[in-house]
Amino acid sequence: MTQIIEVKTKKQRKEFVEYPLRLYKDNPNFVPPLYGDEMKIFTEKNIYFKTCKSVFYLAQRDGKTVGRIQGIIQMQYNDVHGTKQARFTRFDCENDPNTAKLLFDAVETWAKAQQMQTLVGPLGYSDLEREGLLIEGFDYLSTFEEQYNHAYYADLIENCGYAKDVDWVEFRLFSTPQQDERLKKFGERALERHNLRIVSDGLNKRQIIKRYANGIFQCIDECYKDLYGTVPFTPEMIKQMVDQFMLIINKRYIMVVCDENDEVAAFGFCLPGIGKAVQKTGGKLTLGCLIRLLKAVKNPDSIDLGLVGIMPKYRKSGLSAYIMTVLQNMLSTKGVEYLETNLNLETNANIQTNWKHFDFIQHKRRRSYIKYLNTIE
């Protein structure tokens, strides 16, 4: 008989984090998150405790874990949007409809008891967490920022009464034989015309982050506020994100554009592809993993597009052309084979139009599901 257990003890927390590592042990395309970061979600070091409620469940049969799921109520999101939404994330499960139903029943009961009206996901605490269920592209290596899942997950979720809410598509970009000089000149003229400058050229990565992190995240809030599942960043959230990614940031893949007052007008940053570096140890930062990680950061064979933002007053300035030339330059770096765009909303034509400047393929698709709940009176 399958039992659903709410995660409370240290042993149960460890089991919650380690279950997917066993489930995908022999899968060459699964990339785990950093183990230490996952363990922090249960502690006060997870600053989302201030803006979210969470619950964690394990499904066990004969003492063996056969599934897991997390429920989240993002109170900040609900306040901003005037909604009563709960989220599910970190769903992993054996290929058994009954096990999946028991897990979702547990999260739905928890959400309804708190008067939530919808349950959506996979969505994390914010859109900078892993999100979306992979429904196309199972034969491609995940990026470090993405969650991998088996193809049967979609059937398990849909059998529990969930339907498509939104889809994201992903692209793999390749270097073109020759850069478009017109695009480069157009971008450079945009900088001159608006008295903008690239401030990241003369600073190391820590100096860039220290001086411009707040401006970058203000730009993120402004540019991404209307996108699916986003929440404004608090100072604590900014610090946590910076701390998590500092190790894997390479200064070569950071661009910050400022105006004459040193205010951030646009930014873009990519991350070295580190998926292969963390696979072997299940995301644990052993000495061997750390060595592989640092090598991948210094000389990556692929690049992951992180975030790009242009403040509204400059969106028609031509800055996007400059950013595309920066990405083209990254792809021309020795040893870099391709750039992964990560998630683009399928309805976001503005961002997808930019990929015409590259040789590309659309190789993955992800989905967020929704279910409407009958709340408990």
Side-chain angles (χ1 to χ4, degrees), residues 32-76:
L34 292 182
Y35 187 91
D37 288 344
E38 286 297 280
M39 291 302 295
K40 286 178 184 176
I41 65 175
F42 301 105
T43 73
E44 293 182 356
K45 292 182 180 180
N46 178 10
I47 51 81
Y48 289 108
F49 276 171
K50 294 183 178 181
T51 57
C52 301
K53 297 178 182 178
S54 291
V55 69
F56 304 85
Y57 293 109
L58 291 170
Q60 294 190 334
R61 186 185 309 117
D62 299 325
K64 178 183 177 182
T65 299
V66 291
R68 70 168 194 169
I69 197 169
Q70 179 187 2
I72 295 173
I73 296 176
Q74 204 345 321
M75 295 179 289
Q76 186 184 17

Side-chain angles (χ1 to χ4, degrees), residues 176-194:
T176 54
Q178 186 173 358
Q179 289 188 359
D180 188 339
E181 288 299 318
R182 293 174 302 175
L183 187 70
K184 180 181 178 181
K185 290 178 180 178
F186 187 64
E188 290 174 345
R189 282 201 299 269
L191 293 175
E192 294 174 5
R193 187 166 56 249
H194 296 277

Side-chain angles (χ1 to χ4, degrees), residues 189-196 259-260 313-314 317:
R189 282 201 299 269
L191 293 175
E192 294 174 5
R193 187 166 56 249
H194 296 277
N195 197 23
L196 301 173
D259 62 18
E260 62 273 20
K313 66 183 291 186
Y314 297 109
S317 67

Side-chain angles (χ1 to χ4, degrees), residues 92-259:
D92 289 289
C93 190
E94 64 179 352
N95 190 6
D96 181 72
N98 181 63
T99 303
K101 185 177 186 306
L102 290 172
L103 286 166
F104 277 99
D105 283 350
V107 173
E108 290 168 21
T109 298
W110 172 78
K112 288 190 288 187
Q114 299 182 69
Q115 302 299 305
M116 296 297 105
Q117 296 175 344
T118 58
L119 185 59
V120 300
L123 284 179
Y125 295 107
S126 77
D127 66 311
L128 294 189
E129 278 212 313
R130 296 179 172 199
E131 59 187 356
L133 189 84
L134 186 67
I135 59 173
E136 294 176 8
F138 300 99
D139 294 332
Y140 289 90
L141 178 71
S142 278
T143 66
F144 175 70
E145 301 81 27
E146 299 174 333
Q147 182 63 35
Y148 186 85
N149 57 263
H150 287 305
Y152 63 77
Y153 278 31
D155 286 340
L156 294 181
I157 293 173
E158 290 166 15
N159 287 340
C160 291
Y162 290 79
K164 173 186 172 179
D165 198 13
V166 301
D167 274 10
W168 295 271
V169 288
E170 301 178 45
F171 300 83
R172 181 171 283 187
L173 311 183
F174 303 93
S175 178
T176 54
Q178 186 173 358
Q179 289 188 359
D180 188 339
E181 288 299 318
R182 293 174 302 175
L183 187 70
K184 180 181 178 181
K185 290 178 180 178
F186 187 64
E188 290 174 345
R189 282 201 299 269
L191 293 175
E192 294 174 5
R193 187 166 56 249
H194 296 277
N195 197 23
L196 301 173
R197 60 194 179 90
I198 310 300
V199 299
S200 42
D201 288 344
L203 304 173
N204 63 41
K205 70 177 183 181
R206 291 190 179 276
Q207 291 171 327
I208 295 170
I209 297 302
K210 183 178 180 180
R211 187 176 300 181
Y212 297 108
N214 288 335
I216 289 171
F217 277 91
Q218 287 173 6
C219 189
I220 293 173
D221 280 343
E222 183 62 36
C223 297
Y224 289 72
K225 64 183 180 182
D226 296 324
L227 296 184
Y228 186 83
T230 60
V231 295
F233 283 91
T234 65
E236 294 87 356
M237 291 163 64
I238 293 173
K239 184 180 185 304
Q240 179 164 296
M241 294 305 302
V242 169
D243 289 345
Q244 285 181 342
F245 284 97
M246 183 59 75
L247 178 65
I248 60 176
I249 290 175
N250 183 323
K251 191 257 179 179
R252 294 203 306 263
Y253 307 128
I254 304 174
M255 182 203 70
V256 182
V257 181
C258 285
D259 62 18

